[in-house]
C-alpha cells in the first residue's frame, strides 16, 4: 500500500497509545467502583484519574495533529453513506475522548477532591466543591462511558468488516510500522 494511503506515524502511535490507555481506564473504573472501601480502592481511584488525565493530554495533541494533517482518502469501494457514517463516528469519538475524562475531572473537583497528577503536582481546581452538581456529574461520567463503549464496539466492528469481508486494506492505514 502506498505511503500516502496511511495515517502519519504520529497519528498511528497516538491512536494505539490512547486506545490502550482508554481501555485500561475503563476496566479500572469498573473494578474500583465495585470495591469495598480500602487503601487499595483509594489507590485505584488515583491510578484511574492519572490514566484519564493522560488520555486527555494525548487526545489534545492528537486533535491538533489531526487538524494539521489530512487523513488518507477512504478506499474507492466505500459509498457516500458509509463515508458519512465513518466520519460521523470519528467526530463523535473525538468528542467523547474529551467529554469522558473531563466529566470525571469535574466530578472529582465538585466532590471536593483535588487531582494530584502522579502524586506529584496538583492540577488546576477549575470549580469549587459543589455537592449539588456532584451526583449529576458522576452520572454524566457513567453515561458518557456507556455511549463511548458502544461507539468503540461499532468502530472495531467496522474495522473488522473492512478487513475480513470487504478486504479493502482499510486496517493497514492504522497498522503500526514495525
Ligand atoms: C478515558 C478516560 C476515562 C475513562 C474511560 C473512565 C472510565 C470510568 C468508568 C468506566 C467508571 C465506572 C463508572 C460506573 O459504572 O460507575 C469511572 C468512574 C470514575 N471516574 Fe473515570 N474515566 C476516565 C477518566 C477519568 C478522569 C480524568 C477522572 C478524574 C480526574 C475520573 C474520575 C472517576 C471517578 C472519581 C469515578 C468513580 C465514580 C464513583 O464515585 O462511583 N475518570 N470512570
Amino acid at each position: 500500500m502506498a505511503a500516502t494511503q496511511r495515517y502519519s506515524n504520529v497519528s498511528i502511535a497516538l491512536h494505539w497509545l490512547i486506545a490502550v490507555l482508554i481501555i485500561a481506564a475503563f476496566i479500572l473504573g469498573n473494578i474500583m467502583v465495585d470495591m469495598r472501601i480500602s487503601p487499595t480502592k483509594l489507590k485505584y481511584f488515583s491510578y484511574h484519574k492519572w490514566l484519564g488525565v493522560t488520555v486527555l493530554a494525548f487526545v489534545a495533541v492528537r486533535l491538533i495533529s489531526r487538524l494539521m494533517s489530512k487523513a488518507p482518502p477512504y478506499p474507492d469501494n466505500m459509498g457516500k453513506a458509509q463515508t458519512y457514517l465513518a466520519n460521523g463516528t470519528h467526530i463523535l469519538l473525538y468528542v467523547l475522548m474529551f467529554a469522558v475524562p473531563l466529566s470525571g475531572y469535574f466530578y472529582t473537583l465538585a466532590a471536593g477532591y483535588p487531582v494530584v497528577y502522579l502524586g506529584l503536582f496538583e492540577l488546576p481546581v477549575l470549580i469549587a466543591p459543589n455537592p449539588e452538581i456532584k451526583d449529576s456529574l458522576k452520572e454524566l461520567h457513567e453515561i458518557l462511558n456507556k455511549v463511548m463503549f458502544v461507539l468503540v464496539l461499532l468502530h472495531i466492528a467496522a474495522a473488522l468488516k473492512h478487513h475480513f469481508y470487504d478486504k479493502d486494506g482499510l486496517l493497514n492505514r492504522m497498522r503500526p510500522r514495525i
Side-chain angles (χ1 to χ4, degrees):
M1 174 163 284
T4 49
Q5 287 181 301
R6 295 168 58 91
Y7 280 92
S8 67
N9 286 342
V10 173
S11 297
I12 294 173
L14 285 171
H15 174 276
W16 294 110
L17 186 63
I18 290 169
V20 169
L21 291 172
I22 288 180
I23 291 167
F26 186 83
I27 294 173
L28 191 57
N30 277 304
I31 292 174
M32 72 190 194
V33 290
D34 290 335
M35 287 171 73
R36 286 146 72 97
I37 189 76
S38 68
T40 310
K41 177 173 174 132
L42 299 180
K43 208 163 66 183
Y44 284 3
F45 262 64
S46 294
Y47 295 163
H48 175 78
K49 292 173 189 177
W50 302 343
L51 277 169
V53 168
T54 311
V55 167
L56 196 57
F58 280 129
V59 171
V61 176
R62 185 169 172 197
L63 181 65
I64 294 167
S65 130
R66 175 68 181 76
L67 293 174
M68 279 169 45
S69 63
K70 263 182 123 183
Y74 287 121
D76 297 336
N77 63 313
M78 273 177 72
K80 258 213 166 107
Q82 254 193 71
T83 310
Y84 283 136
L85 194 66
N87 284 337
T89 313
H90 296 161
I91 291 170
L92 254 180
L93 278 170
Y94 269 102
V95 171
L96 286 165
M97 285 190 293
F98 280 105
V100 167
L102 280 176
S103 58
Y105 191 76
F106 282 105
Y107 160 60
T108 303
L109 294 180
Y113 300 104
V115 181
V116 185
Y117 190 63
L118 304 177
L120 293 176
F121 51 93
E122 191 177 319
L123 297 179
V125 181
L126 300 170
I127 53 166
N130 188 336
E132 279 169 31
I133 59 164
K134 175 181 103 139
D135 291 338
S136 312
L137 284 170
K138 180 177 156 186
E139 211 171 313
L140 182 67
H141 191 54
E142 288 170 20
I143 293 170
L144 290 173
N145 262 295
K146 286 187 178 125
V147 177
M148 187 167 73
F149 180 74
V150 173
L151 265 186
V152 167
L153 287 186
L154 200 70
H155 181 67
I156 296 171
L160 294 178
K161 175 193 170 279
H162 280 281
H163 190 68
F164 292 109
Y165 183 74
D166 301 331
K167 295 189 172 57
D168 56 11
L170 189 102
L171 206 56
N172 286 327
R173 294 148 48 98
M174 215 27 124
R175 195 169 45 83
R177 241 184 288 240
I178 357 173

